[in-house]
Amino acid sequence: MSKLRAKISGIHAWVPPYVLTNKELESMVETTDEWIMTRTGIRERHILKGEGLGTSDMAVEAVKGLLDKTHTSPDEIDMVICATVTPDMLFPATANVVSDKVGIKNAVSFDINAACSGFLFSVVTASKFVETGTFKKVIVIGADKMSSITDYTSRETCVLFGDAAGAVLLEPTTEEVGIMDSIIRTDGAGRSHLHMKAGGSVKPPSYETIDAKEHFVYQEGQPVFKFAVTKMADVAVEIMERNLLSSNDIKYLVPHQANMRIIEATAWRMGILKEQVMINIERYGNTTSGTIPLCLWEWENQLKKGDNIILAAFGGGFTWGSIWVKWAY
Ligand code: UT7
């Protein structure tokens, strides 16, 4: 009997309409468009505005579009995984909220917190349920409202992040397409360089934690940069080597979009050209769990069945990983 694989059979994404440009940021903190572009490659990012709107509202748009495009009824969905570090609430899981809002009634749903590698970790997790024949239709969402944990008085972080949501449908196949191989890794020692100081069980919210601005992303840029630049490239190269893939075999690298310099270094280590890399950081910034599905969505029309693509991510935790996907349609 031929091997059961999980294939990506659809992709959709959604970004909120409001665009926060580097020009506008220049009026908010001491920064320049030139600094942001040179150091990060970001020119603008989308921000979710509006009282009472959260990560689930963006994810709902992505999932509704995905169901429409793939002619799938909410009743058919067996599982929903939402990768996010900005859940609507600490509990219940945002995946549950999304399922309820979309009318998905027959699915098990939960969140995965692996920061910027969250979408990648979630696709790997979901693929195991599909490969074992446990589930037939699984939705994986990558969604973050990073503006809800960004300090807009801190130039070190506020220029980096944006809001977005993307979702893929995974289904079983016996063809030679889909999730072909994956590597996921973590190193908890890295948590000191990238985290949120308060709001969890160690330091519940208080007037003091709010005054100390401890409910925002805390990042030591340089140590994170050094780790990211090495680890993301390491796993991307490892997955190529162990599957005997040369740079010519790769149609696209789909990297997490945190910094243009990290993306370029990864492409260089893999020996691939810039034309073989999906890059949209300039228009969206770092949307955490949203970056990879946002790229796949934008490049969907340029992908053909059988194309080899490598997804690669790095994020807080530290977490990192890569997936070799053979595009299925
Ligand atoms: O997505 C999850 C993982 N995260 C990442 O992969 C992010 C990795 N890190 C980075 O991408 C980069 O470290 C940053 C983009 C965050 C920062 O770039 P950098 O080249 O590492 O800059 P830096 O932090 O070393 O700062 C250089 C200078 C500092 O000034 P001094 O000390 O040299 O006088 C900063 O205060 O740039 C200053 N600076 C800014 N200046 C203008 C920091 N932010 C800004 C800003 N505008 N927005």
Side-chain angles (χ1 to χ4, degrees):
M1 210 174 86
S2 41
K3 186 176 161 45
L4 206 56
R5 295 184 193 281
K7 66 173 181 184
I8 295 177
S9 52
I11 167 83
H12 198 66
W14 190 82
V15 289
Y18 187 83
V19 176
L20 174 60
T21 62
N22 288 353
K23 267 267 155 288
E24 187 175 351
L25 281 166
E26 283 178 359
S27 69
M28 294 159 64
V29 288
E30 203 183 326
T31 191
T32 59
D33 173 54
E34 202 262 330
W35 190 97
I36 305 169
M37 276 303 288
T38 320
R39 301 285 179 128
T40 71
I42 303 166
R43 193 179 302 284
E44 57 193 35
R45 64 293 284 146
H46 289 245
I47 302 294
L48 182 64
K49 299 264 187 187
E51 198 66 32
L53 295 179
T55 296
S56 73
D57 297 289
M58 297 189 295
V60 161
E61 296 298 329
V63 170
K64 277 185 179 164
L66 178 69
L67 292 172
D68 262 11
K69 268 171 89 168
T70 56
H71 309 290
T72 309
S73 144
D75 295 340
E76 296 175 72
I77 302 300
D78 302 307
M79 182 161 86
V80 178
I81 302 181
C82 182
T84 188
V85 291
T86 52
D88 282 18
M89 292 166 276
L90 219 47
F91 73 91
T94 297
N96 304 0
V97 181
V98 176
S99 293
D100 181 50
K101 287 181 176 175
V102 173
I104 294 173
K105 301 281 185 209
N106 305 321
V108 57
S109 52
F110 56 89
D111 289 357
I112 285 185
N113 176 339
C116 296
S117 311
F119 180 76
L120 209 141
F121 277 43
S122 301
V123 168
V124 173
T125 306
S127 70
K128 305 301 172 196
F129 286 91
V130 176
E131 288 163 6
T132 52
T134 312
F135 293 132
K136 287 205 163 52
K137 288 187 192 282
V138 178
I139 290 179
V140 177
I141 304 163
D144 271 299
K145 184 186 171 185
M146 291 305 291
S147 60
S148 67
I149 55 167
T150 298
D151 176 3
Y152 286 96
T153 65
S154 160
R155 68 178 185 173
E156 278 80 14
T157 49
C158 76
V159 302
L160 304 174
F161 298 107
D163 302 336
V168 291
L169 180 65
L170 292 186
E171 291 184 87
T173 179
T174 49
E175 289 187 275
E176 273 290 293
V177 293
I179 313 301
M180 307 300 286
D181 192 15
S182 62
I183 302 171
I184 45 176
R185 303 236 161 91
T186 56
D187 179 0
R191 69 190 185 281
S192 62
H193 302 300
L194 180 51
H195 58 261
M196 186 150 82
K197 293 193 179 300
S201 57
V202 169
K203 235 188 202 192
S206 66
Y207 291 113
E208 287 76 24
T209 61
I210 290 169
D211 287 346
K213 300 187 171 189
E214 290 181 339
H215 296 273
F216 296 123
V217 176
Y218 169 82
Q219 176 170 253
E220 293 159 8
Q222 285 199 7
V224 178
F225 185 95
K226 280 186 198 142
F227 217 84
V229 94
T230 315
K231 296 296 183 185
M232 200 162 100
D234 281 353
V235 283
V237 169
E238 188 182 336
I239 210 159
M240 282 173 74
E241 285 178 354
R242 79 183 192 188
N243 291 290
L244 307 175
L245 293 167
S246 78
S247 52
N248 291 332
D249 298 322
I250 308 292
K251 180 71 190 263
Y252 283 111
L253 162 68
V254 192
H256 170 53
Q257 316 273 311
N259 188 310
M260 184 65 117
R261 291 179 286 148
I262 299 174
I263 296 171
E264 284 171 353
T266 306
W268 182 80
R269 284 270 311 278
M270 294 169 73
I272 60 172
L273 304 169
K274 211 164 170 189
E275 299 81 72
Q276 289 167 279
V277 190
M278 295 188 191
I279 305 174
N280 59 16
I281 189 171
E282 184 171 343
R283 285 174 293 121
Y284 301 115
N286 182 350
T287 57
T288 302
S289 308
T291 58
I292 291 178
L294 209 48
C295 280
L296 290 175
W297 172 60
E298 289 208 321
W299 268 263
E300 184 185 19
N301 291 338
Q302 293 173 49
L303 289 167
K304 291 191 189 63
K305 188 170 180 177
D307 282 348
N308 291 308
I309 62 176
I310 304 286
L311 318 182
F314 179 87
F318 289 142
T319 56
W320 66 102
S322 65
I323 303 181
W324 168 29
V325 177
K326 255 190 194 296
W327 200 248
Y329 60 96

